[in-house]
Structures are given as structure tokens and as C-alpha cells.
Amino acid sequence: MTATMPQVNAEFGAKPIISFPDGPAPAGLKTVELVEGNGPMVRRGDTVTVNYHGVAWGREDPFDSSFDRHQPASFGIGVGQVIRGWDQSVPGHNVGSRLLVSIPPEYGYGSRGIPQAGIEGNDTLVFVIDIIETR
């Protein structure tokens, strides 16, 4: 893992615990595969089922977490159903993988953010994503 990315427990299926390094978020979209799965590869246009945990860079409390709800989410990937950072980072990884993704505002919610969700304008988003299924 690069020095500029947060540290995360790597166990697939475990609720993520994220520790941020000192300093600013890395520039650009960054994806680190913490666990390499051995299931089918996710391709653009697939419907994926994932567990995820999302926080704004440097914050402790998630703005959204399927781990907290105990309910995975399913959606089309690579087809504009989710933010661009997800569409570009999830395809190409296998079922069973745990990803750490740092998403700059231009690949997330931009300068507007989503204040009601606790995402401020220009926040860098960090997601831990467990890929459960693709079809």
C-alpha cells in the first residue's frame, strides 16, 4: 500500500476500520486491492453486489455503510448508475476482492457535495468495497 493511502483491515467481510495518514488526500483516482478474490471478474455492464463503507477523507464516521446496515447493495457498474469513481475502479477486479478506493471530487460529487449526507463540496471520498457477486 502506498504511503498516501489510508490503512485498512484487510479481512474480506469484516467491517472496515480506516486510519488516515497525516497530510492531504492523494491526487486522482486511486485503487488498492487489499484482498485479491478468486471469483469471476467484474466487467462493465455487470450487476454487482457489494458491501461498502464510505467516509470523507480524514473523518471517522461513515456517510454511508452497507456494513452498518447489514445489507449488501446491488447495481449496474460501468453504466452511470453510481459515481464515476466506482464505475472506473470496480470493473477488472474479481468476486472476493476487497478494494480501497480514494475518489477525488471530480470522480465523486464535485464542488456541490451532498450536504445532507455529510459530504462537503470538494471532499475526497474513501471507500472500502467487498465484491460479493457479479452477474
Side-chain angles (χ1 to χ4, degrees):
M1 195 175 307
T2 63
T4 59
M5 290 290 280
Q7 296 291 311
V8 179
N9 55 322
E11 183 183 346
F12 184 92
K15 181 177 175 179
I17 300 168
I18 302 171
S19 299
F20 287 93
D22 292 333
L29 179 65
K30 304 284 188 229
T31 304
V32 176
E33 191 173 64
L34 300 171
V35 173
E36 182 180 358
N38 59 6
M41 182 182 289
V42 176
R43 302 189 188 288
R44 292 187 192 289
D46 284 359
T47 296
V48 295
T49 300
V50 298
N51 261 323
Y52 64 89
H53 188 78
V55 298
W57 184 271
R59 299 196 195 118
E60 272 187 41
D61 294 329
F63 56 80
D64 192 10
S65 177
S66 68
F67 285 95
D68 287 349
R69 289 191 303 275
H70 305 286
Q71 181 65 49
S74 297
F75 44 80
I77 197 72
V79 294
Q81 289 187 9
V82 291
I83 59 175
R84 197 168 84 167
W86 275 65
D87 274 347
Q88 292 190 6
S89 61
V90 175
H93 294 279
N94 297 345
V95 169
S97 295
R98 172 167 272 202
L99 308 178
L100 170 63
V101 185
S102 176
I103 302 175
E106 62 270 22
Y107 289 85
Y109 297 105
S111 60
R112 294 178 312 205
I114 300 183
Q116 64 271 27
I119 301 170
E120 297 175 13
N122 294 317
D123 271 349
T124 292
L125 308 178
V126 175
F127 285 94
V128 177
I129 303 167
D130 285 357
I131 304 172
I132 298 170
E133 179 181 40
T134 190
R135 57 188 189 286

